[in-house]
Amino acid sequence: MSGLTKENALAAALAQAQEATPARRRLELLFDPDSFVEMDTLAGVKGQPCGVVTGYGTIMGGPAYAFAQDSTQTGGAVGRIHGRRIARIYEVALKTGAPVIGIFDSKGLRLDEGVEALDAYGEMLHLASTLSGVVPQLSLVLGTCGGTSALVAANADFVVMSKDAEFFLTPPAIAQSAGMGAPEAGSAAAAAKAGLAHLVCEDEQAAIENARRLVCTLPLNNLAAPAVFESTAAGDSAGLADPANAAALVESLTDAGSALELMADFGSGAYTAMAAVGGLSCGFVATKGAALTSDDCAKMAKLVSVCDAFQVPVITLVNTPGFAPSSVAELAGSVRDMARLGHIYAEATTAKIAVITGAAYGAAYITLASHAANADYTAAWPGASISALPPSAAVALLHGDRITAEKSRQQVEEEYLANEASPLNAAAQCFIDSVLAPEATRDYLISTLEVLSSKRVHTLPKKHSNLPL
């Protein structure tokens, strides 16, 4: 074959391999303009594309790797070459310490490859697990993501979906035919309610834009400095008036427009978000005044775990009477989820600041705000209450003798709140660091985050913790 013929053959192969596809269009939207560089461009199966595009580029100026499955090419079916291209992305990301974004849109595995296809899935799952906590991983589910692909996607730090995408382990049709599936099984709405999808967006363009925004709230890797943005003024201060309105409260404390709520449809008693305070990216956990359920605990534990892995400061706004005392919840495993939350908070070595804005009773206070359970700094608003028991229980067990014809139970409870459960009493005993006015909270957070920026903690050598699973 002459040199010219070889060049023509290469040009033809490149033209076929680089044909405009939904996968390439999605990657172009994900990365900064003209920054995407494709890897393994000519890799294919029997002269045809293998259903995935891989490469690297920059996202808002920072390096990142990505792969995009494409169901319009061989159904995006996963086989040996498809899996090897994705594995290469994980391998180079591990070497260079840059985030990985996976765009999932595949009909399943290549049946004609049999065990080879299963082995490709195994390699993907192994590498995704190996990189967990080392570099940020984000899954974008923009089509069908089922079976083992769903396991790989769920291993990421965050999952972002478009509302028309599918996310399931067992195909919904099969589950429903066996009498096990609900009509909405596999949908983005179902994934959001189950806490599997952290963001559900109107369309794939919005999902990609939010993925860009979310990945930039995390550092490049677990050894890099936290993300820093240009500082802006806080949002509307009206949120300071109602601690139970967690979303408005966070908006009042963070740089305007920076808060990105996560898992909004899961765990209704808690609010979680990534946001900037004085330009520094932080994770926010806020309770809404109600008792915490299993879902609330799982929701909070997820965000704290991700933040701790990448040394992102965690700010907890505490306003809860405690954990839901339901016998049904106990049977459903609430103790396990609550113990897991306590384990993750206590073990986390990232900077942790707690602000008690309302009630903080018993185990909830210990878990979320206690110095003894590893909070770095704890402050409280003047109207907060800190107690081992809810006031009604404390009065019934400890101060029943104070209830007289002249003094009602309600009056005794009010006295208990004003004295023994007051933040001033807690501060006097060194259980909290300061009592501050709501309008001073943002300045307090900024100065405390600055002090904690040099925090270094060396933990005991061990392979891993044994979480209550």
Side-chain angles (χ1 to χ4, degrees):
M1 183 181 291
S2 68
L4 184 59
T5 303
K6 289 180 180 179
E7 289 181 5
N8 290 339
L10 175 60
L14 284 171
Q16 180 186 26
Q18 295 177 329
E19 180 183 359
T21 64
R24 288 190 172 82
R25 180 179 60 80
R26 288 165 172 170
L27 289 171
E28 288 171 1
L29 289 172
L30 176 67
F31 288 107
D32 297 337
D34 302 320
S35 73
F36 176 65
V37 178
E38 186 170 347
M39 296 169 55
D40 301 316
T41 306
L42 295 174
V45 180
K46 299 177 182 179
Q48 298 297 318
C50 63
V52 68
V53 179
T54 59
Y56 60 88
T58 62
I59 297 177
M60 296 187 186
Y65 293 89
F67 63 85
Q69 295 177 318
D70 192 346
S71 61
T72 67
Q73 292 186 324
T74 64
V78 176
R80 184 177 66 85
I81 299 301
H82 183 121
R84 185 87 285 275
R85 287 192 71 171
I86 293 176
R88 279 273 294 146
I89 289 294
Y90 286 118
E91 289 166 352
V92 292
L94 182 61
K95 291 177 182 178
T96 59
V100 174
I101 297 94
I103 301 178
F104 291 83
D105 184 9
S106 169
K107 302 299 184 186
L109 56 78
R110 294 185 69 98
L111 297 177
D112 59 334
E113 291 191 15
V115 176
E116 280 189 313
L118 294 178
D119 192 61
Y121 268 130
E123 186 176 27
M124 290 162 57
L125 187 58
H126 167 69
L127 288 168
S129 300
T130 299
L131 262 70
S132 180
V134 178
V135 301
Q137 295 184 61
L138 195 146
S139 295
L140 261 168
V141 180
L142 303 181
T144 299
C145 180
T148 308
S149 284
L151 299 184
V152 177
N155 261 275
D157 300 306
F158 297 115
V159 176
V160 180
M161 295 183 69
S162 59
K163 72 173 187 179
D164 296 327
E166 295 180 293
F167 194 24
F168 55 83
L169 184 61
T170 302
I174 294 177
Q176 289 175 28
S177 66
M180 297 183 296
E184 70 275 11
S187 68
K193 289 179 181 178
L196 291 173
H198 303 95
L199 275 173
V200 174
C201 304
E202 188 65 23
D203 53 39
E204 68 176 53
Q205 184 167 347
I208 292 171
E209 185 55 41
N210 274 300
R212 282 172 52 86
R213 183 180 172 189
L214 186 54
V215 77
C216 290
T217 65
L218 299 173
L220 290 179
N221 55 63
N222 63 332
L223 300 179
V228 177
F229 307 93
E230 184 177 348
S231 179
T232 61
D236 188 353
S237 62
L240 299 174
D242 182 10
N245 189 341
L249 176 56
V250 170
E251 288 285 350
S252 296
L253 298 175
T254 57
D255 297 1
S258 69
L260 181 60
E261 184 178 2
L262 303 171
M263 296 179 277
D265 297 326
F266 177 66
S268 60
Y271 171 93
T272 54
M274 296 298 296
V277 180
L280 180 66
S281 181
C282 299
F284 270 83
V285 172
T287 55
K288 301 180 180 180
L292 300 175
T293 66
S294 294
D295 286 353
D296 297 329
C297 293
K299 177 177 181 174
M300 294 189 290
K302 171 63 178 179
L303 185 67
V304 174
S305 180
V306 172
C307 288
D308 184 50
F310 299 106
Q311 203 63 18
V312 176
V314 173
I315 296 170
T316 307
L317 306 176
V318 184
N319 178 24
T320 175
F323 299 112
S326 166
S327 58
V328 175
E330 299 291 351
L331 291 173
S334 62
V335 170
R336 180 177 60 245
D337 292 309
M338 292 163 192
R340 186 186 301 124
L341 176 64
H343 185 117
I344 287 173
Y345 257 100
E347 188 182 48
T349 59
T350 190
K352 292 179 293 185
I353 304 170
V355 179
I356 302 173
T357 62
Y361 302 150
Y365 160 74
I366 295 170
T367 299
L368 303 176
S370 168
H371 288 156
N374 212 15
D376 293 308
Y377 288 96
T378 301
W381 287 2
S385 55
I386 303 165
S387 174
L389 295 168
S392 59
V395 168
L397 293 173
L398 303 173
H399 304 307
D401 57 331
R402 298 181 186 179
I403 302 171
T404 65
E406 292 76 27
K407 186 179 290 185
S408 68
R409 174 183 291 275
Q410 181 179 349
Q411 288 174 312
V412 175
E413 289 180 9
E414 289 173 355
E415 285 182 358
Y416 179 83
L417 283 169
N419 297 302
E420 291 158 81
S422 74
L424 292 176
N425 185 47
Q429 300 182 67
C430 293
F431 295 139
I432 64 174
D433 298 293
S434 59
V435 180
L436 49 88
E439 58 270 18
T441 305
R442 175 175 161 85
D443 289 339
Y444 172 83
L445 293 176
I446 292 173
S447 62
T448 309
L449 286 167
E450 185 175 352
V451 167
L452 288 170
S453 63
S454 59
K455 180 182 178 184
R456 298 291 183 271
V457 175
H458 298 285
T459 57
L460 294 171
K462 57 184 175 181
K463 189 171 184 181
H464 62 76
S465 296
N466 289 320
L467 289 168
L469 298 174

